Amino acid sequence: MLDGEGGLHFRKALWLTPFAMVAHNAEEYPAIVDYANRHGWTMSRTQMLVAIILVTLLPFPVTVAATRSPKGSLRLVLGLALPAALFVNALGHLGQTIFYRDYSPGTATGLGVNVPLAVYLYQRASREGQLSARQLRQAAALGTVLLFPVVLAAQAIGRLVDHYRKQ
């Protein structure tokens, strides 16, 4: 489980990603709806709960696939796209906090957990030769590009659930 340097092997360390997502979303959910509504983004608790559940569960099957894949595989690139998305999400929370001068729920775990975790995982992957430098860049780009469509899709599903729940 530990490597010769006292750190987790990359494949074991990847499992920190879904649990970091759980911690982040546990911080974010209780206050994000009030925060969003204060700043002109209309959403309901049901919509956000569904979205949070979806994006919290998503990393588990992706991590299973990544940890069971060979070095240099697309599944491993996808697995490393997740911490990149968490990194970008943390920067988004920080940007919102600064822009609105109002603490954006999720900023603490984003900056204190998700950013260091992403840096650690990319360093481990590189050091252990799990992905090439090109694949590491692809994973970072993929996580960055997919973050917003995935979040928007999860919120849209939440909105649909909320709509049909009220009927």
Side-chain angles (χ1 to χ4, degrees), residues 77-134:
V77 169
L78 291 172
L80 211 51
L82 290 172
L86 291 176
F87 185 102
V88 171
N89 180 263
L91 297 180
H93 281 290
L94 177 61
Q96 291 169 359
T97 295
I98 292 167
F99 181 79
Y100 290 116
R101 296 180 183 176
D102 183 12
Y103 178 79
S104 173
T107 303
T109 52
L111 296 176
V113 176
N114 297 345
V115 167
L117 176 62
V119 170
Y120 175 75
L121 289 173
Y122 274 75
Q123 288 174 340
R124 297 279 347 155
S126 177
R127 189 176 302 130
E128 293 181 22
Q130 297 291 328
L131 294 173
S132 67
R134 180 174 175 261

Side-chain angles (χ1 to χ4, degrees), residues 31 45 51 57 59-60 69 75 100 102 119 144-145 150 154:
R45 292 230 170 264
L57 294 176
F60 286 94
S69 66
R75 288 182 295 179
Y100 290 116
D102 183 12
V119 170
T144 300
V145 169
V150 168

Side-chain angles (χ1 to χ4, degrees), residues 1-164:
M1 184 167 211
L2 294 179
D3 65 8
E5 300 169 13
L8 289 174
H9 285 289
F10 173 72
R11 301 299 174 117
K12 301 289 183 193
L14 262 182
W15 276 106
L16 296 170
T17 304
F19 293 103
M21 179 73 90
V22 169
H24 176 72
N25 288 341
E27 178 201 355
E28 188 176 51
Y29 176 71
I32 195 67
V33 172
D34 292 336
Y35 176 86
N37 290 327
R38 251 190 337 268
H39 297 292
W41 312 333
T42 305
M43 70 174 62
S44 71
R45 292 230 170 264
T46 300
Q47 175 189 346
M48 194 60 191
L49 178 61
V50 170
I52 288 279
I53 288 169
L54 291 172
V55 298
T56 300
L57 294 176
L58 175 67
F60 286 94
V62 173
T63 302
V64 167
T67 58
R68 295 180 179 178
S69 66
K71 287 183 177 184
S73 69
L74 176 59
R75 288 182 295 179
L76 205 48
V77 169
L78 291 172
L80 211 51
L82 290 172
L86 291 176
F87 185 102
V88 171
N89 180 263
L91 297 180
H93 281 290
L94 177 61
Q96 291 169 359
T97 295
I98 292 167
F99 181 79
Y100 290 116
R101 296 180 183 176
D102 183 12
Y103 178 79
S104 173
T107 303
T109 52
L111 296 176
V113 176
N114 297 345
V115 167
L117 176 62
V119 170
Y120 175 75
L121 289 173
Y122 274 75
Q123 288 174 340
R124 297 279 347 155
S126 177
R127 189 176 302 130
E128 293 181 22
Q130 297 291 328
L131 294 173
S132 67
R134 180 174 175 261
Q135 289 172 313
L136 290 169
R137 289 190 301 274
Q138 288 172 338
L142 188 61
T144 300
V145 169
L146 289 180
L147 172 65
F148 298 107
V150 168
V151 168
L152 292 175
Q155 288 181 355
I157 293 167
R159 194 174 296 113
L160 283 171
V161 169
D162 192 36
H163 173 76
Y164 287 109

